[in-house]
Amino acid sequence: MVYRGKPSPGCALCRKRRLKCDQERPACSQCLRIGQECPGYQDPQALRVYNQTAAVTTKALARAASTRKAARSPTAEKSKTPPLIAGPTNIQEQAMSHIFKYYVGTSQNPGILCYLPDLLRTGPSDALQATMKAIGLACMSRVYHLPELARSAAEEYSKALRATNTSLQDAVSATSDSTLGAVVTLSMYEIISGQSQMMAAWLNHARGALKLLELRGTKQFESAAGRRLFSSTRLQIAMINIFFRTSCHRSPTIAALSKYAKSVGDADAQTVEDFYNILVTFNDHSIKVKETYNNTGFRGNIAPLIKEALDLDADLVSWATSLSPTWQYSTTSTPLPFSHVRSHDTEYHVYPSIDNAVYWNHYRQARIILHEMIQAMCLHQATPDSPQIMHQSISINKQLAEDICASVPYFFTSGEAALGAVARLPWPLYLASDCAGVSPQTKDWIMQILDLIATSTGVQQARILSQFVKTGNHSYLLIPGKPKRIVDI
């Protein structure tokens, strides 16, 4: 009989893998993360004293047999270096670990996919798990230069699509948090893999997610994961819809659900709703601007559209200046080295959280797009005020571009989950590089950062956009009336 001190109460799988077990019910987070059935927890009191006779005997016999076998062998086989990834199971475990490390984060430092553990705990669907593995494998294939993992990622992606389609055929599973989470997370795969039809596939996932939001009704606000999914899904669609100008944001059901979300949300949720409402108005404005433009220029009097755009910009500024202290960032002149890339400026931003940093850059890129439209309209229809409006607009965009650049070090120096959040940086950086008044040095720095994002995180959207900047593939196709080059005034 042996007294073993205080034994671990964790599950057998966590003890075997030498991991800390959080002993959540009905299953621990570590087992959920790798998609294994949790074997349950030990009773610490019952394990303090244990008869180890049988265990010691077994170990001794095994050791003796091993010694005899080694003695009979004329030559000992040289040990081989174990492969980086030992087998299919280990590959998938590592892929899931990658997602948890860089995209889920911790309770103290949550990542951009922080809702995944709740979804795995309450409804670990095949679709969601395959989606997570696809993203993890796609990232690892690029970061570690292992093309065979890209093939595995594509296979998991196909599994995720099939499983998602199956879930959508059932009325109950179609409205579950897990199914929506799978659809939303699938859009991340498009950004990371960087396929040729990346944006078209992303839009398909986004539109599918929007339909699910409508089907889920007010019940989706009963869980923290449901509320987070509702907010983030709408915001991403509203941001990208500024460019693609569809009418999906005009859904009466989504409008009613948004109003309900604001009534039941906390102060932060209401801040997000206020921002979303401005983006919806921006979406309508963007459609009107596009409808007045053809290959020969803008039709009719567009002065009201310019005024409407300036009013929208004032609304965005008002939203930013009214934010509570918990949303405010600070500026530091302390160097924040994070790579071989030279420093961009002497001042950098420090944010309260990853979410805050992402929202601030959403705000900045929304204003950049708005001012690109203002500049394009002023160029096509000159008025006595056009030169002054152009000058102010260019100055504003130049500062917004500098602010996006100043946010970059925070993502690279604030932990693993912040590094995963750089997946939200390529598009703001690309737009910043194409602003009138931005120096060649700043453009060069942005190209280097986009390349760094691609190599350090595997997000291939960054590599594609870096090539756009290098080859002069500008965003003029996304802005009605924007010329290939805008000359400073």
Side-chain angles (χ1 to χ4, degrees):
M1 305 296 285
V2 179
Y3 175 70
R4 302 194 299 183
K6 185 179 180 181
S8 168
C11 74
L13 194 55
C14 284
R15 297 198 311 277
K16 180 180 178 181
R17 300 174 69 220
R18 298 179 181 271
L19 298 174
K20 184 177 180 180
C21 183
D22 60 11
Q23 302 171 61
E24 289 285 343
R25 301 288 179 179
C28 73
S29 296
Q30 298 287 0
C31 288
L32 286 173
R33 178 170 60 80
I34 61 174
Q36 296 289 331
E37 182 179 355
C38 187
Y41 311 119
Q42 302 186 103
D43 179 2
Q45 298 302 321
L47 295 171
R48 288 185 184 276
V49 179
Y50 179 65
N51 187 345
Q52 288 187 310
T53 303
V56 171
T57 301
T58 301
K59 288 181 180 180
L61 290 173
R63 190 180 299 113
S66 176
T67 302
R68 288 194 299 272
K69 183 177 180 181
R72 290 196 300 267
S73 177
T75 58
E77 184 180 359
K78 293 183 179 180
S79 63
K80 296 179 180 179
T81 304
L84 174 64
I85 298 174
T89 301
N90 284 339
I91 289 174
Q92 295 184 353
E93 284 186 18
Q94 289 185 40
M96 294 290 274
S97 295
H98 187 92
I99 292 296
F100 271 76
K101 186 175 183 180
Y102 294 107
Y103 292 94
V104 172
T106 64
S107 57
Q108 292 79 24
N109 195 26
I112 57 175
L113 301 180
C114 61
Y115 51 80
L116 289 177
D118 286 342
L119 303 187
L120 289 172
R121 188 172 290 115
T122 57
S125 68
D126 292 341
L128 182 62
Q129 294 187 62
T131 300
M132 293 173 65
K133 291 172 187 175
I135 292 175
L137 290 167
C139 288
M140 292 166 61
S141 71
R142 299 291 185 172
V143 173
Y144 301 117
H145 308 290
L146 297 171
E148 63 272 19
L149 293 191
R151 292 189 290 271
S152 298
E155 291 173 3
E156 291 294 339
Y157 177 71
S158 296
K159 290 180 186 177
L161 289 177
R162 291 194 296 270
T164 301
N165 288 332
T166 300
S167 296
L168 293 174
Q169 303 305 313
D170 180 78
V172 176
S173 62
T175 57
S176 69
D177 285 351
S178 185
T179 299
L180 176 59
V183 173
V184 171
T185 312
L186 275 170
S187 65
M188 281 288 296
Y189 178 83
E190 312 300 344
I191 293 171
I192 291 166
S193 62
Q195 302 299 323
S196 58
Q197 300 298 317
M198 174 180 63
M199 291 312 299
W202 190 96
L203 274 175
N204 286 335
H205 295 314
R207 288 166 179 159
L210 197 65
K211 291 297 182 185
L212 289 180
L213 293 183
E214 294 177 342
L215 288 174
R216 283 158 55 84
T218 57
K219 190 176 180 180
Q220 63 192 306
F221 300 106
E222 294 176 1
S223 69
R227 293 190 294 273
R228 171 106 185 181
L229 283 167
F230 179 81
S231 177
S232 62
T233 301
R234 283 178 321 149
L235 182 68
Q236 290 184 52
I237 293 171
M239 288 298 302
I240 203 69
N241 204 41
I242 294 170
F243 292 114
F244 291 96
R245 304 174 191 92
T246 70
S247 58
C248 62
H249 66 284
R250 291 173 174 168
S251 163
T253 304
I254 295 296
L257 289 171
S258 298
K259 187 175 181 180
Y260 180 82
K262 187 171 183 178
S263 69
V264 299
D266 57 16
D268 282 345
Q270 293 185 30
T271 298
V272 172
E273 291 303 317
D274 290 340
F275 182 54
Y276 173 75
N277 289 335
I278 298 173
L279 292 181
V280 168
T281 306
F282 191 174
N283 285 179
D284 288 330
H285 176 75
S286 183
I287 290 173
K288 285 191 286 186
V289 171
K290 177 62 176 177
E291 289 173 346
T292 63
Y293 180 77
N294 58 27
N295 292 334
T296 61
F298 289 97
R299 301 186 303 273
N301 180 19
I302 60 172
L305 287 178
I306 296 174
K307 183 181 183 306
E308 187 177 316
L310 292 171
D311 290 342
L312 267 171
D313 188 57
D315 289 341
L316 285 167
V317 172
S318 177
W319 175 83
T321 54
S322 65
L323 291 174
S324 69
T326 58
W327 281 72
Q328 301 297 333
Y329 61 89
S330 58
T331 301
T332 177
S333 57
T334 304
L336 297 174
F338 55 90
S339 75
H340 64 280
V341 179
R342 64 176 175 80
S343 298
H344 172 257
D345 204 346
T346 57
E347 292 188 341
Y348 306 97
H349 297 166
V350 178
Y351 296 86
S353 69
I354 297 168
D355 266 356
N356 285 120
V358 171
Y359 270 103
W360 272 105
N361 279 342
H362 280 321
Y363 157 80
R364 290 166 185 142
Q365 65 175 318
R367 289 192 69 199
I368 284 176
I369 298 164
L370 190 57
H371 279 281
E372 292 289 332
M373 290 182 176
I374 290 170
Q375 293 165 30
M377 288 188 286
C378 285
L379 281 175
H380 280 265
Q381 188 171 26
T383 66
D385 295 333
S386 293
Q388 182 180 359
I389 293 174
M390 282 282 290
H391 179 78
Q392 291 176 344
S393 183
I394 290 171
S395 297
I396 289 169
N397 267 7
K398 185 178 179 181
Q399 183 58 55
L400 291 168
E402 292 294 322
D403 286 342
I404 288 173
C405 293
S407 75
V408 169
Y410 172 81
F411 288 91
F412 282 94
T413 60
S414 300
E416 293 160 340
L419 185 61
V422 301
R424 301 284 190 239
L425 272 178
W427 199 249
L429 284 169
Y430 171 62
L431 292 174
S433 74
D434 204 32
C435 287
V438 170
S439 68
Q441 292 78 16
T442 296
K443 288 187 179 183
D444 181 66
W445 186 85
I446 288 173
M447 284 188 287
Q448 292 183 61
I449 294 300
L450 288 171
D451 289 337
L452 177 63
I453 290 172
T455 55
S456 62
T457 68
V459 177
Q460 292 310 290
Q461 183 193 55
R463 191 178 302 281
I464 293 169
L465 294 177
S466 175
Q467 283 300 117
F468 282 180
V469 179
K470 290 174 185 175
T471 58
N473 191 335
H474 300 283
S475 63
Y476 68 93
L477 294 175
L478 303 172
I479 309 294
K482 178 179 177 178
K484 293 185 179 182
R485 297 283 182 184
I486 293 181
V487 181
D488 289 350
I489 292 179

